[in-house]
Amino acid sequence: GGVASDPAPRLEARMTESTTRQPAPGEATKTERVQLRLPADSAYLGVLRTATAGLAARRDFTLDDIEDLRIAVHEARAILPTQARDGATRDCQFELGTDDLTIHVSTRSEHPRAPREDSLAWILLTALAGELQASISGSTLTISLHKHRELA
């Protein structure tokens, strides 16, 4: 008999249809959603950082804001691997509004714990992303970053 090898890591990406939400009476805003599923392997971090930069550029964020978001997703993803199950994936969802970007990075864990809000990583993420939230649903820990684009 032969030796079974591990299947190749899978990288999945898809863009869902745009939806319309009502932020204020009479003002509709288009939101595009892009989803990535990456292997937990840190070798795929560059894919997440590049996707973040490309999507932020698509919404005309400044170069400084784009770099802040690239660093923020790196830090968010760095928090998650310490809790990830073996063979876990990192699910990333980007929500592109007219003048904002929300990024949800999540993974499954045996015993998910929200990061401490007084930790250096959390403080750094807050400074880079603006709005930050951690949530747990079942065995999934999600870190959400929300950044508004400066309007000219």
Side-chain angles (χ1 to χ4, degrees), residues 1-88:
V3 176
S5 62
D6 291 333
R10 290 182 47 188
L11 172 65
E12 300 173 27
R14 74 181 143 141
M15 182 172 172
T16 59
E17 291 182 26
S18 297
T19 58
T20 302
R21 58 182 165 86
Q22 293 285 345
E27 180 184 69
T29 302
K30 285 265 191 187
T31 301
E32 294 177 318
R33 287 182 173 72
V34 176
Q35 295 177 312
L36 289 176
R37 175 166 286 164
L38 304 168
D41 188 330
S42 63
Y44 292 91
L45 182 56
V47 174
L48 176 59
R49 289 173 55 106
T50 301
T52 300
L55 293 169
R58 183 178 171 143
R59 286 299 187 255
D60 295 323
F61 278 81
T62 67
L63 291 176
D64 286 341
D65 283 346
I66 291 170
E67 189 58 26
D68 286 352
L69 285 166
R70 284 172 41 94
I71 295 168
V73 296
H74 180 96
E75 291 299 319
R77 194 171 180 280
I79 292 171
L80 296 174
T82 61
Q83 300 185 32
R85 293 178 175 172
D86 288 339

Side-chain angles (χ1 to χ4, degrees), residues 69-140:
L69 285 166
R70 284 172 41 94
I71 295 168
V73 296
H74 180 96
E75 291 299 319
R77 194 171 180 280
I79 292 171
L80 296 174
T82 61
Q83 300 185 32
R85 293 178 175 172
D86 288 339
T89 59
R90 299 294 178 268
D91 293 321
C92 308
Q93 180 174 315
F94 300 85
E95 297 174 1
L96 291 83
T98 302
D99 61 356
D100 66 328
L101 175 62
T102 302
I103 306 166
H104 308 281
V105 183
S106 60
T107 195
R108 302 186 97 204
S109 172
E110 291 295 326
H111 305 288
R113 295 179 322 277
R116 290 182 35 193
E117 292 186 19
D118 63 349
S119 69
L120 180 58
W122 192 263
I123 293 168
L124 177 61
L125 278 173
T126 302
L128 293 169
E131 298 172 36
L132 188 61
Q133 178 182 357
S135 60
I136 297 171
S137 177
S139 62
T140 302

